[in-house]
Every structure is written in structure tokens, then in C-alpha cells.
């Protein structure tokens, strides 16, 4: 049996999970279920990341020991996964003794082989992100990832000699162009973080206690990211007495991660594995964020509805469906309660639920049981039958690239075709006209189409598939894999609606009442970006021409540009060095905010701002007028 090893990130046990967190795990669960359904021997891993200063601090604030604190949080994680029907095979905790043993062992091995060395770390650290930054990484002096202040730290520490593996990593990416998807994110990582040179990484801390200690120098706690990344191999027994599971499942076939943790997985992780002589995972799948108000949903920024509350009220499948259909497979995707409720109503309740109940009602009203197909109208029937028969290969194709979004859309394309088939064949008219022979065929085909939908939904919406199986009176949904005319005679039962129709207004009120903080963030989403024309008029935008541009010494981000705006020439510093070679900019037109307060960056006074456009895939371009406009021209 072919093995298939799937991992999610291990979630920080510093607080509860929100809807954004659920995205990764729901994706992974769909992939796990799908691969089991095609006969693979799946190992699906998730878990919790339990060490670090943030957890130590949160535990203290809660009046608990760190272990007592994470135990409670982890129980909550498991409740969320239960509510969402997540079928993980193992839940790894970084506080597991076997995991901690392996982290120590690998650290020692790397030290012994010269990959880890002792030095002095001086720099900046963001506690919530557990990440060190160089001054040039900061945005407005704050953490580039979470926007919070960073702390200055100076301490003896051990460094991981990542720089030694620079050439190897470059060659690895060049020879494995499909290692990291989406491609745009891979290019961003490669061009902006690998190519310019990888620095050695400080991999221990001495300022807190809660973590895995370096066993030959116990003042030092191992950096949480080294600790955390190793979960993917400790969980399957690497380095233990019995490595059978590891031997069977490593390398991972797919590792799901969010875009904020891609750098760690795309640089440190491969180097770590290579340094200890292990093969690389086959695929890193990096998704975007579920956003609210244009921002990543995060507890610290205002919440996100509690996944268990949503599952209890709307069913796990409603939440799963919304996440996989409209979620951020590659690009960020916004969540609003309205979108959520409307999607349930239109796709699940109307398109699927109504089709099912109407079909079953017509079978019950006109026949004892599912009728045998009789009179065929090839022109009308065959497109539906073809869609049923092609579905398996279309889903296989989508799932080979982990495109869970495309797979679910294929299933709902069959639902849409079946609804069209109802419109064209008009079974209620056939019944009225007593054309029972044609009606038999039409209802049989609709029955089969619904069976096919249920069969394929098993990997994505398991509760719905099970309910449908019972209503269709077929225990073994695999019978619907390929169209045939043998499944007549089943005693269907219409039962309750698959998905209750929701009153949008009532539900929005309900959601607001249970989570006012999250609802407030959503409401702001609608109004916060609106400014008046007077606000806009305050900004003086002009066309400028870049006369010269050069790198600012000591910064890998900043360019010092000399810009002509009408009769005036100004120096404007912009953080675009990673996207433009200075020479490329000379002569270009651009749009400048001219009335911005001057600011000193790396000792250079910057007067104004050059406007740029960027996207989630890491592209950035300066904005230019579409044709010749003299410098100094107004932009409005
Ligand atoms: O990063 N939308 O843990 P974590 C989509 N412990 N995904 C989101 C999200 C959102 N709004 N917010 C978070 C960690 N995520 C580390 C991982 S792995 C060796 C260590 C995703 O709990 C995020 O991108 O902060 C990440 O993939 C996962 O949730 C866990 O985040």
C-alpha cells in the first residue's frame, strides 16, 4: 500500500484557536480523507507548539504553571478538531518527553558536527512572534510580522551555521522547482531571502526557562522554531528505539503551512533536515490568510468567531465548506458572517439540499422506490451522465495538486448540472402527464447524480455524505462511482432538510450577540476604509521623475532616490531595494506623496513617499502614469 504522510503546523498553545487556524487543518483533513479513499496508507499529523516565552508569560498571567496552562489549551485544541471532524492519526505535543529527547539529541549532533557554535547575540526580538530581527527588517521600528514593539536583547547564544548551506539550498530550489507552492511565494522566498544570503541563526535563549534545555549547557533553552520544526520527525519516531513508523512515512508527502511561517519551513527546515542527513519533504503547501477588515484573523487583533460555536449552530460541514470553497488556498480571503450565511443558504441549502429533497419527494410521490431507468433521451441525459463519469478523474487531478478548492467546485458543478437537468426535463410535468417511463429515467438519473455527489463529498463534507447515504438508502456510496442503471429499488427517505434555510438577519444578530468583539471588527470592515473627499484632498500627489537611485549602506531594503517634482528636486527613501535594481529606476516616472512629514531613515532625510502597488504573492511595482505627464503634474 502506498504511504502518504500529511502534516499541519503545530499550533501555538498560547491561546485558543480561531477560524483562520482551522483553515490549514481542514485542508489537511480533506487531503487525508481523500488519500485514504483512494487506498493510500495515510498518516495525518497535527499537534501543539508548547514552549517559549509567550507561553511562560501567559501561564503566569493565568496563575498556572506552564505545563498546567498548555494542558488546558491543548484540550481546547482537541475539542475544536473534534467539532470539525478532523481525522488526525497523531497529535504531537512539543512537551512530550520523546519529542524533547530528540530535540536535545539533534542539537548535540549539530553541535558535534560543527553546524552549531557558541557566540554572542545582539539584536532585536519580537516576543509574540518568537522571532529575531535585524534593524533593517523592522517596519516603522516595529515587528514586520505583527506590528508590535520589539525588544533589544544581548546574550550569549548558540548559532546554527545556516550560511554553510547557502549553495546547497540554492541548488536544491533550482533542481526542485515544485518543492514549494504557490510559485509566486517560492519566488519571493528564493529571490528575497535565499539569494541575498542566509545568515547564521541564533538558536538558543537564556532569558527564560520554559523550553528544551541544551543538555551540555543548561542555561540555554533551544529556540522554539528548532524545537517546533522537529515535531514532524519526532512524531513518527525518528531517533527512537523503534524507527519503523519513521522509515515507513518519511519523507512527508505534503506539509501544509500558512504564508507567515513559510520562511521557517522553506529555509531553516530543509537545512535542518539536510544537516542531519534526511531527505526533503515532497511538497510544502503555503496558503494565505483568512482575513477580517483586511487583516489576518488573529485573537490579538479582535477575534474571529469561535469555531466550536459555528460548528454547533451550523454544523461542521457548513464551516468546512465555507473554508474550502472560499478560503485562502493561495491568496488571502475575507471572512464575513454575511458571506458565510449566504454561502450556506445558496450552495448547501438551495442548490444541494433542495435538489435532494425535491428528487426524493418526487420518487416517494410517484414510485414505491427508486424506479428503473426506462425511456432515454440521449441528448438530454448524456451530458449529466458524462459529468458523473468524469468527476472522479477531475477530482483526482485537482487533489494531485492539493487543489481542494477546485475539487469541491467540481462536485458542485455536478450539483448545478443536476439542477439544470431538472429545469430541462421538468419531472413535475412528466408526472402530471403520466409519462411514467420518461419520469423513471429522469428520477433515476437525478438519484444517481446525488449519489455521485455524496460519494465524492465523503472526503470534504463527511457528515453531509453520511446523511445523504442514509436518505438515498445506499450504505456503500462507492456504488455511485461510475454511472450504471442497477441501483433501482432503494427505499429512499426524504427526512429532514440537509441544511436548514437561514434567515440572514437573524443569524447576523445571533453571531453578533455571541461574539460582539469579532462582529465589531466585521462592521468596521464595511466603514473603516471610507474617507471623505476632504480627507483625500489633504494628500498632495504629484508626478515625479526619478533622476538617480542608490542603495543605502547597511540596509538591504532601502533605496535613496533623487526625484524631480516640477522645479524641485528631493531625496525620497523607499523600501524597494528587494524589488528594484537602482539603475532600473533611473528615468522612470512615479507618483509621489509630497506633503508627508520628513523622516530620517538610516541617517538620510526622506521628503515624501513614492507610491507602489504590491500583492500577496510578493510582487511590488512602483506606480507610473499611463503615458507622458510632466513631472510636477497633479495626481487626483
Ligand atoms: O505559527 N488565516 O503557530 P500558530 C489562515 N507554532 N491561517 C492562519 C491564520 C489566518 N487568519 N492565522 C493563523 C505557528 N494561521 C507555529 C507553527 S510549525 C513547526 C510551528 C495559520 O498557532 C498560520 O499560518 O501561530 C499557521 O500555519 C497556523 O495557523 C498555526 O499558527
Amino acid at each position: 500500500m502506498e504511504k502518504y504522510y500529511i502534516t499541519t503546523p503545530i499550533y501555538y498553545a498560547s491561546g485558543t484557536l480561531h477560524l483562520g487556524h482551522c483553515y490549514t487543518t481542514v485542508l489537511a483533513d480533506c487531503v487525508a480523507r481523500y488519500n485514504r479513499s483512494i487506498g493510500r496508507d495515510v498518516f495525518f499529523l497535527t499537534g501543539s507548539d508548547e514552549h517559549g516565552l509567550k507561553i511562560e508569560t501567559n501561564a503566569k498571567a493565568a496563575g498556572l504553571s506552564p505545563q498546567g496552562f498548555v494542558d488546558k489549551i491543548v484540550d481546547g485544541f482537541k475539542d475544536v478538531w473534534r467539532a470539525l471532524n478532523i481525522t488526525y492519526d497523531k497529535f504531537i505535543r512539543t512537551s512530550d518527553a520523546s519529542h524533547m529527547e530528540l530535540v536535545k539529541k539533534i542539537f548535540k549532533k549539530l553541535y558535534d558536527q560543527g553546524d552549531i557554535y557558541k557566540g554572542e547575540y545582539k539584536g532585536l526580538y519580537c516576543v509574540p512572534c518568537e522571532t529575531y530581527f535585524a534593524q533593517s527588517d523592522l517596519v516603522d521600528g516595529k515587528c514586520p510580522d505583527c506590528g508590535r514593539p520589539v525588544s533589544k536583547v544581548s546574550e550569549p547564544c548558540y548559532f546554527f551555521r545556516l550560511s554553510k548551506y547557502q549553495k546547497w539550498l540554492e541548488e536544491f530550489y533550482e533542481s526542485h522547482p515544485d518543492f514549494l507552492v504557490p510559485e509566486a511565494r517560492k519566488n519571493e522566498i528564493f529571490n528575497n531571502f535565499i539569494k541575498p544570503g542566509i545568515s547564521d541563526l541564533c538558536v538558543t535563549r537564556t532569558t527564560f526557562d520554559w523550553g528544551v534545555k541544551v543538555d551540555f549547557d543548561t542555561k540555554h533553552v533551544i529556540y522554539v522554531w528548532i524545537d517546533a520544526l522537529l515535531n514532524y520527525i519526532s512524531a513518527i519516531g525518528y531517533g527512537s528505539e523503534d524507527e519503523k513508523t519513521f522509515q515507513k512515512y518519511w519523507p512527508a508527502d505534503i506539509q501544509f503551512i500558512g504564508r507567515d511561517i513559510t520562511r521557517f519551513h522553506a529555509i531553516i527546515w530543509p537545512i535542518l533536515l539536510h544537516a542531519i542527513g534526511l531527505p526533503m519533504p515532497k511538497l510544502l503547501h503555503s496558503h494565505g490568510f483568512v482575513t477580517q477588515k483586511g487583516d489576518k484573523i488573529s485573537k490579538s487583533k479582535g477575534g474571529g468567531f469561535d469555531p466550536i460555536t459555528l460548528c454547533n449552530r451550523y454544523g461542521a460541514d457548513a464551516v468546512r465548506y465555507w473554508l474550502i470553497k472560499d478560503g485562502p488556498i493561495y491568496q488571502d480571503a475575507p471572512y464575513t458572517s454575511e458571506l458565510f450565511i449566504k454561502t450556506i443558504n445558496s450552495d448547501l441549502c438551495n442548490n444541494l439540499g433542495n435538489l435532494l429533497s425535491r428528487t426524493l419527494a418526487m420518487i416517494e410521490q410517484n414510485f414505491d422506490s427508486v424506479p428503473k431507468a426506462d425511456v432515454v433521451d440521449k441528448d438530454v441525459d448524456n451530458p449529466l451522465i458524462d459529468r458523473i463519469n468524469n468527476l472522479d478523474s477531475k477530482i483526482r487531478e485537482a487533489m494531485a495538486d492539493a487543489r481542494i478548492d477546485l475539487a469541491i467546485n467540481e462536485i458542485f458543478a455536478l450539483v448545478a448540472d443536476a439542477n439544470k437537468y431538472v429545469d430541462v426535463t421538468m419531472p413535475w410535468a412528466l408526472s402530471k402527464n403520466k409519462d411514467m417511463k420518461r419520469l423513471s429515467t429522469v428520477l433515476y438519473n437525478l438519484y444517481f447524480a446525488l449519489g455521485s455527489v455524496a460519494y465524492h463529498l465523503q472526503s470534504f463534507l463527511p457528515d453531509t455524505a453520511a446523511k445523504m447515504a442514509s436518505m438515498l438508502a445506499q450504505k456503500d456510496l462507492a456504488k455511485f462511482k461510475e454511472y450504471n442503471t442497477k441501483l433501482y429499488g432503494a427505499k429512499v427517505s426524504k427526512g429532514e432538510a440537509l441544511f436548514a434555510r437561514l434567515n440572514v438577519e437573524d443569524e447576523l444578530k445571533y453571531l453578533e450577540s455571541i461574539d460582539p468583539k469579532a462582529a465589531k471588527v466585521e462592521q468596521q470592515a464595511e466603514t473603516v476604509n471610507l474617507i471623505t473627499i476632504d480627507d483625500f484632498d489633504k494628500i498632495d500627489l504629484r508626478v515625479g521623475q526619478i533622476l538617480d537611485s542608490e542603495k543605502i549602506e547597511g540596509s538591504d531594503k532601502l533605496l535613496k532616490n533623487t526625484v524631480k517634482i516640477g522645479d524641485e528636486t528631493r531625496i525620497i527613501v523607499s523600501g524597494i531595494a528587494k524589488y528594484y535594481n537602482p539603475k532600473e529606476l533611473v528615468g522612470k516616472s512615479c507618483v509621489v506623496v509630497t506633503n508627508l512629514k520628513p523622516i530620517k531613515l538610516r541617517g538620510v532625510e526622506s521628503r515624501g513617499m513614492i507610491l507602489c502597488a504590491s500583492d500577496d504573492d510578493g510582487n511590488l511595482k512602483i506606480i507610473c502614469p499611463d503615458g507622458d505627464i510632466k513631472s510636477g503634474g497633479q495626481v487626483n
Side-chain angles (χ1 to χ4, degrees):
M1 212 191 217
E2 194 186 350
K3 67 90 188 175
Y4 202 81
Y5 183 27
I6 305 167
T7 68
T8 71
I10 47 171
Y11 293 81
Y12 269 131
S14 56
T16 52
L17 297 174
H18 55 65
L19 201 61
H21 290 126
C22 297
Y23 184 62
T24 326
T25 306
V26 168
L27 283 186
D29 185 61
C30 293
V31 172
R33 287 173 183 268
Y34 177 76
N35 279 284
R36 285 186 202 113
S37 81
I38 59 168
R40 288 185 172 146
D41 173 358
V42 169
F43 194 98
F44 169 18
L45 176 72
T46 190
S48 50
D49 187 353
E50 303 185 8
H51 292 133
L53 180 56
K54 185 164 49 164
I55 289 170
E56 193 176 86
T57 314
N58 288 5
K60 209 180 257 172
L64 293 168
S65 67
Q67 190 65 53
F69 178 79
V70 291
D71 286 350
K72 245 174 113 172
I73 296 282
V74 166
D75 284 346
F77 285 5
K78 290 184 178 171
D79 288 342
V80 173
W81 302 145
R82 209 170 295 119
L84 278 163
N85 279 323
I86 302 298
T87 54
Y88 56 80
D89 294 293
K90 177 163 174 135
F91 191 103
I92 173 94
R93 300 182 56 173
T94 55
S95 64
D96 289 344
S98 54
H99 169 81
M100 290 172 62
E101 268 320 298
L102 181 74
V103 174
K104 283 184 190 173
K105 225 160 114 177
I106 289 181
F107 193 93
K108 176 81 167 53
K109 175 178 165 66
L110 293 171
Y111 180 74
D112 288 344
Q113 70 192 33
D115 282 324
I116 282 179
Y117 62 93
K118 200 164 184 183
E120 176 87 13
Y121 177 77
K122 279 199 194 78
L124 303 155
Y125 188 71
C126 175
V127 176
C129 297
E130 312 263 15
T131 307
Y132 298 100
F133 291 105
Q135 184 72 40
S136 57
D137 289 331
L138 304 186
V139 174
D140 296 333
K142 300 207 170 113
C143 170
D145 290 338
C146 73
R148 281 176 276 206
V150 291
S151 323
K152 273 200 177 142
V153 288
S154 163
E155 57 187 52
C157 97
Y158 288 86
F159 284 89
F160 186 12
R161 215 182 289 279
L162 296 182
S163 55
K164 171 177 153 190
Y165 294 97
Q166 169 83 35
K167 193 160 173 278
W168 171 80
L169 193 64
E170 281 184 34
E171 283 170 4
F172 173 74
Y173 272 92
E174 273 153 6
S175 57
H176 296 80
D178 301 325
F179 172 64
L180 168 60
V181 294
E183 198 187 352
R185 202 157 295 141
K186 180 200 70 186
N187 292 341
E188 180 201 352
I189 298 273
F190 188 76
N191 295 331
N192 298 349
F193 300 105
I194 298 177
K195 263 281 180 204
I198 314 167
S199 313
D200 292 350
L201 178 74
C202 170
V203 286
T204 58
R205 296 293 314 270
T206 50
T207 47
F208 66 93
D209 230 25
W210 179 239
V212 182
K213 302 260 169 71
V214 176
D215 52 8
F216 53 90
D217 194 349
T218 52
K219 274 205 304 292
H220 291 260
V221 172
I222 296 170
Y223 179 39
V224 280
W225 269 102
I226 298 293
D227 176 358
L229 287 165
L230 291 172
N231 91 86
Y232 302 128
I233 52 176
S234 73
I236 49 173
Y238 175 68
S240 68
E241 270 173 26
D242 177 6
E243 282 198 333
K244 253 203 327 282
T245 310
F246 173 78
Q247 295 300 347
K248 178 170 174 190
Y249 289 105
W250 191 257
D253 292 273
I254 186 162
Q255 299 207 273
F256 284 99
I257 50 176
R259 71 176 166 90
D260 53 338
I261 58 172
T262 307
R263 262 162 82 177
F264 300 98
H265 285 80
I267 300 175
I268 306 173
W269 180 223
I271 292 181
L272 195 50
L273 285 169
H274 183 64
I276 56 177
L278 291 180
M280 296 304 116
K282 292 186 189 153
L283 178 66
L284 279 182
H285 184 289
S286 166
H287 63 74
F289 293 139
V290 180
T291 61
Q292 263 187 315
K293 203 184 140 191
D295 243 345
K296 171 183 175 189
I297 292 187
S298 85
K299 284 280 167 199
S300 60
K301 287 182 189 159
F305 294 100
D306 170 41
I308 296 186
T309 310
L310 291 180
C311 288
N312 286 345
R313 187 160 178 98
Y314 305 108
D317 282 357
V319 180
R320 289 175 70 108
Y321 180 73
W322 186 82
L323 285 171
I324 57 186
K325 176 177 179 263
D326 287 334
I329 185 97
Y330 289 151
Q331 312 279 351
D332 291 359
Y335 168 87
T336 73
S337 300
E338 199 169 341
L339 276 177
F340 175 66
I341 302 293
K342 286 187 172 165
T343 305
I344 300 176
N345 271 351
S346 74
D347 296 12
L348 299 180
C349 176
N350 288 355
N351 297 350
L352 177 60
N354 282 355
L355 175 72
L356 179 69
S357 59
R358 282 163 74 197
T359 304
L360 298 187
M362 284 189 286
I363 292 174
E364 282 178 345
Q365 280 155 19
N366 292 283
F367 303 94
D368 266 359
S369 58
V370 175
K372 192 171 178 179
D374 197 334
V375 170
V376 168
D377 178 345
K378 279 192 179 157
D379 289 347
V380 177
D381 299 346
N382 282 0
L384 183 70
I385 293 170
D386 289 347
R387 168 76 76 182
I388 292 170
N389 285 340
N390 291 334
L391 192 52
D392 198 57
S393 66
K394 287 205 166 140
I395 292 178
R396 190 175 286 259
E397 214 174 282
M399 293 304 278
D401 292 333
R403 291 302 304 265
I404 300 96
D405 56 332
L406 299 184
I408 195 88
N409 283 339
E410 286 297 342
I411 300 175
F412 277 79
L414 171 57
V415 173
D417 275 8
N419 275 309
K420 273 188 227 142
Y421 185 74
V422 173
D423 293 343
V424 173
T425 54
M426 299 195 289
W428 58 90
L430 295 172
S431 166
K432 204 169 150 204
N433 299 335
K434 299 276 178 266
D435 185 353
M436 303 314 268
K437 291 189 163 196
R438 178 64 185 146
L439 182 62
S440 304
T441 312
V442 167
L443 291 181
Y444 182 84
N445 286 345
L446 286 171
Y447 174 77
F448 205 99
L450 284 160
S452 167
V453 167
Y455 167 66
H456 291 289
L457 279 182
Q458 290 178 108
S459 306
F460 307 95
L461 310 182
D463 284 346
T464 307
K467 263 196 216 163
M468 287 177 75
S470 133
M471 289 160 89
L472 296 168
Q474 289 290 354
K475 279 205 185 86
D476 180 12
L477 288 173
K479 288 185 184 156
F480 291 104
K481 194 171 169 188
E482 203 170 332
Y483 182 82
N484 63 69
T485 51
K486 289 184 267 179
L487 298 185
Y488 56 88
K491 292 258 186 217
V492 297
S493 58
K494 191 172 154 258
E496 276 178 27
L498 204 52
F499 289 90
R501 193 173 172 75
L502 303 170
N503 177 305
V504 179
E505 244 174 63
D506 290 351
E507 293 313 312
L508 292 182
K509 268 194 209 132
Y510 166 77
L511 289 171
E512 189 174 341
S513 73
I514 53 150
D515 201 344
K517 200 172 162 199
K520 199 159 156 238
V521 175
E522 276 191 35
Q523 283 154 13
Q524 284 170 2
E526 284 158 26
T527 53
V528 81
N529 291 327
L530 301 180
I531 57 167
T532 64
I533 191 77
D534 295 339
D535 294 330
F536 180 73
D537 278 346
K538 286 184 197 151
I539 307 170
D540 187 42
L541 295 170
R542 302 272 166 183
V543 174
Q545 194 190 14
I546 303 176
L547 301 179
D548 194 15
S549 178
E550 59 184 297
K551 281 205 159 198
I552 294 187
E553 215 171 293
S555 164
D556 53 358
K557 284 194 170 166
L558 301 178
L559 291 184
K560 176 181 162 190
N561 307 296
T562 310
V563 184
K564 180 174 179 304
I565 305 163
D567 297 335
E568 191 193 351
T569 301
R570 297 183 178 200
I571 298 297
I572 301 180
V573 177
S574 18
I576 56 175
K578 286 186 175 156
Y579 307 92
Y580 284 100
N581 179 333
K583 282 199 192 79
E584 268 179 83
L585 288 170
V586 176
K588 271 198 195 299
S589 286
C590 58
V591 175
V592 177
V593 181
T594 61
N595 58 343
L596 204 63
K597 274 193 188 147
I599 178 175
K600 257 199 175 164
L601 294 164
R602 293 262 171 182
V604 180
E605 188 178 67
S606 174
R607 294 180 52 233
M609 180 200 280
I610 296 178
L611 293 188
C612 298
S614 60
D615 62 24
D616 293 338
D617 294 335
N619 301 306
L620 179 144
K621 299 278 172 217
I622 62 165
I623 295 175
C624 314
D626 175 26
D628 287 343
I629 295 282
K630 277 193 198 137
S631 89
Q634 211 169 5
V635 179
N636 47 26

